[in-house]
Each structure stands twice: as structure tokens, then as C-alpha cells.
């Protein structure tokens, strides 16, 4: 289980299947790393309860001198260390490596 430090609070977070689904309900694609702010806010939302509260907590953290880079590392670690995420990633990688069999013309 990973930890997120935010505003002098520690949150234990293990991202499981339900967490991945909750991120999807929030409109967050865990494979899309083009918008790290959105992904980080989503992961923090899993810890604190909802997206609005997560945004407020992140903003307060930064305004009060918190390190966004460290928060990004912690949230990314929560996702990358997830057993469910790792299993899905491995399955996707294995499927991509399978040779493509073309149907023969008759």
C-alpha cells in the first residue's frame, strides 16, 4: 500500500479494480498521460473522497509551499504499484507481442 502526503495528512491508498473504475467515472483514462494534473487530481480524489475536494486539497498544498513534484511521484507510484494495473499492463503487453496471424485467401 502506498502513501500520499498532503497538507500534513497521510493517506494510504491501494488502487484496485474499483478505484480504476472510479477514475473512469471521473472521466480519467489511466493510460492517457497527456494530462498529468487531471490524473493526479483523480488519484488524490480516491484518497480524499471526490474531485472537488481533491482539487482544493492540492491547491492548498501548493499555496502553502508543498512540493507538487513529490505529490506527482506519490500518486504515480500508487497507480504503478497497483496489482490490478500491473496485471492489466502485462496482459496488454503480452497481447501486443503475439504474432498476428493473417487469414489465408481461399
Amino acid at each position: 500500500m502506498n502513501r500520499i502526503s498532503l497538507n500534513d495528512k497521510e493517506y494510504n491508498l491501494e488502487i484496485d479494480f474499483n478505484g480504476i473504475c472510479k477514475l473512469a467515472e471521473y472521466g480519467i483514462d489511466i493510460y492517457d498521460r497527456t494530462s498529468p494534473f487531471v490524473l493526479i487530481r483523480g488519484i488524490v480524489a480516491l484518497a480524499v473522497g471526490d474531485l472537488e475536494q481533491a482539487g482544493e486539497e492540492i491547491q492548498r498544498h501548493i499555496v502553502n509551499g508543498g512540493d507538487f513534484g513529490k505529490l506527482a511521484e506519490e500518486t504515480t507510484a500508487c497507480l504503478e504499484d497497483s496489482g490490478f494495473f500491473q496485471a492489466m499492463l502485462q496482459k496488454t503487453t503480452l497481447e501486443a507481442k503475439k504474432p498476428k496471424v493473417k487469414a489465408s485467401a481461399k
Side-chain angles (χ1 to χ4, degrees), residues 30-31 33 79-97:
I30 60 171
Y31 298 106
R33 301 293 178 101
L79 180 60
E80 291 176 350
D81 291 348
S82 161
F84 180 77
F85 178 75
Q86 287 299 317
M88 292 297 293
L89 189 61
Q90 181 178 11
K91 183 177 183 202
T92 302
T93 302
L94 289 174
E95 287 176 3
K97 289 182 179 179

Side-chain angles (χ1 to χ4, degrees), residues 23-80:
L23 288 171
E25 289 172 7
Y26 290 153
I28 299 167
D29 177 357
I30 60 171
Y31 298 106
D32 180 5
R33 301 293 178 101
T34 60
S35 184
F37 292 118
V38 172
L39 180 60
I40 291 166
R41 184 178 77 146
I43 294 171
V44 171
L46 295 176
V48 302
D50 67 41
L51 286 173
E52 291 299 318
Q53 184 180 356
E56 291 169 10
E57 290 292 329
I58 293 168
Q59 180 169 313
R60 187 163 42 118
H61 177 73
I62 301 306
V63 167
N64 291 327
D67 184 346
F68 189 78
K70 183 178 178 203
L71 179 61
E73 288 173 10
E74 291 173 349
T75 54
T76 300
C78 286
L79 180 60
E80 291 176 350

